Amino acid sequence: MENFDFGQAIKCLKEGKRVSRKGWNGSGMYAYYVPANSYPATTEIAKKEFGGDLVPYRPYLALKTAQNDIATWNPSTSDCLAEDWFVVE
């Protein structure tokens, strides 16, 4: 499936698929959905706030960057209006 809009990209993300845009300049970039979960506290702030226990995280979107790392991601207006989204196989 190629060349769809952001609404379809969101549906694909929620189905566990990785999506990307033809308009992105970075090689190997894609977005994916991270569902809500709990993780062990690793920072002093989280340990103090949650007593060293699990920290609840809300769902979020993540981006595999051109620098080959992962960042949380908020789509730009251009991303939301684009119609060049595709599923990364």
Side-chain angles (χ1 to χ4, degrees):
M1 187 168 29
E2 289 192 23
N3 293 323
F4 48 84
D5 64 19
F6 188 64
Q8 185 62 45
I10 290 290
K11 288 178 185 176
C12 290
L13 288 166
K14 288 185 173 183
E15 292 171 356
K17 297 174 182 166
R18 300 175 297 162
V19 298
S20 187
R21 285 194 52 213
K22 291 180 181 173
W24 283 349
N25 294 329
S27 175
M29 292 175 61
Y30 58 82
Y32 63 97
Y33 175 78
V34 181
N37 206 337
S38 294
Y39 301 97
T42 58
T43 65
E44 291 306 314
I45 293 170
K47 288 175 185 176
K48 182 177 179 182
E49 185 68 29
F50 295 95
D53 294 328
L54 295 177
V55 179
Y57 282 80
R58 293 180 181 195
Y60 62 93
L61 297 176
L63 182 71
K64 194 274 190 181
T65 71
Q67 292 75 34
N68 204 30
D69 58 12
I70 303 296
T72 56
W73 179 65
N74 291 306
S76 69
T77 301
S78 294
D79 291 326
C80 292
L81 297 176
E83 296 186 0
D84 64 347
W85 288 95
F86 64 94
V87 172
V88 175
E89 300 296 334

